[in-house]
Amino acid sequence: GEEVAQTPKHLVRGEGQKAKLYCAPIKGHSYVFWYQQVLKNEFKFLISFQNENVFDETGMPKERFSAKCLPNSPCSLEIQATKLEDSAVYFCASSQLVANWDTQYFGPGTRLTVL
Amino acid sequence: DQQVKQNSPSLSVQEGRISILNCDYTNSMFDYFLWYKKYPAEGPTFLISISSIKDKNEDGRFTVFLNKSAKHLSLHIVPSQPGDSAVYFCAASGSSNTGKLIFGQGTTLQVKP
């Protein structure tokens, strides 16, 4: 597609439940990035993929968070045993290249609320 | 440690006047800087960027200035329009060569008619 698509728009989970977020990058884009925005503050980089391969995972929490990009499927970000502090808007972005000058196009985000 | 800082949380400007949004960074390894604009309930939209080898980049009403020695960049919008009212995020890349962006906290711009 011409835009990055993210589903669902909103997700509410009780503490300890699993949350799974999806991202469909722009067609033809090889790179996918996940960012977390807590309380309208700055975006925190989580992980990036080059096609189905993890490219940079330096921002991923060591526990509970995992992500995948499989062929012919939307990318996913999964949080096992959610905590209150996981409440945030999760944005996915995609780009054709990973060059610093290549624009990352963002999706509308998924708002995760952990109760 | 916040590597990209936008020290003004908000800015209010009259329509037709100039808006100046500022951004400071600490990491001298950054070699590319971007400005994104964000409306509520939407994702950030790319606005303009600048490479560290330049000191100015202009695109229509938007100009970004980079002062490497001061580790400071600014976004000028002139003339400002009510539709420019949004949150503006400064971002930097290049410290890791993996394309990941380091964002500032954002500045909310309100342009009054």
Side-chain angles (χ1 to χ4, degrees):
Chain A
E2 294 291 322
E3 295 179 339
V4 176
Q6 288 189 251
T7 55
K9 206 175 178 78
H10 301 281
L11 191 57
V12 179
R13 287 289 178 266
E15 234 185 329
Q17 292 186 314
K18 185 175 78 175
K20 197 163 184 179
L21 293 63
Y22 296 92
C23 167
I26 291 172
K27 196 174 178 181
H29 282 192
S30 301
Y31 293 87
V32 170
F33 302 81
W34 285 97
Y35 294 89
Q36 178 195 53
Q37 188 191 28
V38 177
L39 292 175
K40 295 187 180 180
N41 286 336
E42 71 265 23
F43 297 73
K44 180 196 167 192
F45 168 79
L46 295 175
I47 190 170
S48 62
F49 287 83
Q50 179 186 16
N51 297 312
E52 60 265 29
N53 303 307
V54 174
F55 193 67
D56 181 350
E57 58 182 347
T58 52
M60 278 291 263
K62 296 276 186 273
E63 298 173 350
R64 303 185 299 108
F65 282 66
S66 63
K68 290 179 191 176
C69 279
L70 300 175
N72 303 312
S73 296
C75 295
S76 63
L77 176 69
E78 189 168 315
I79 309 172
Q80 300 286 344
T82 52
K83 297 184 177 181
L84 295 176
E85 68 221 40
D86 299 330
S87 295
V89 182
Y90 291 83
F91 289 95
C92 170
S94 73
S95 65
Q96 277 188 312
L97 306 170
V98 80
N100 292 332
W101 43 262
D102 196 35
T103 302
Q104 290 182 28
Y105 295 88
F106 282 76
T110 292
R111 179 176 296 279
L112 172 64
T113 302
V114 181
L115 303 174
Chain B
D1 176 34
Q2 202 159 0
Q3 300 184 70
V4 179
K5 291 182 184 179
Q6 293 176 254
N7 291 318
S8 299
S10 63
L11 175 68
S12 184
V13 167
Q14 207 66 35
E15 182 179 6
R17 307 294 285 266
I18 185 170
S19 296
I20 300 176
L21 295 93
N22 294 303
C23 178
D24 296 295
Y25 62 96
T26 57
N27 191 334
S28 56
M29 297 297 290
F30 290 143
D31 62 3
Y32 212 74
F33 303 90
L34 308 91
W35 285 93
Y36 278 84
K37 175 180 176 180
K38 186 181 181 303
Y39 293 117
E42 294 184 11
T45 303
F46 170 74
L47 197 56
I48 192 169
S49 61
I50 188 165
S51 164
S52 60
I53 62 172
K54 295 186 173 183
D55 55 18
K56 177 182 173 181
N57 188 26
E58 194 172 346
D59 183 2
R61 298 186 296 114
F62 303 92
T63 304
V64 56
F65 295 92
L66 176 62
N67 181 335
K68 277 188 71 177
S69 60
K71 292 192 177 71
H72 176 85
L73 63 154
S74 61
L75 173 68
H76 292 213
I77 306 172
V78 56
S80 302
Q81 298 173 354
D84 296 329
S85 297
V87 182
Y88 289 78
F89 289 92
C90 168
S93 69
S95 59
S96 65
N97 287 322
T98 63
K100 76 178 181 186
L101 298 175
I102 309 297
F103 282 86
Q105 314 94 304
T107 297
T108 300
L109 173 66
Q110 183 186 29
V111 180
K112 296 179 179 176

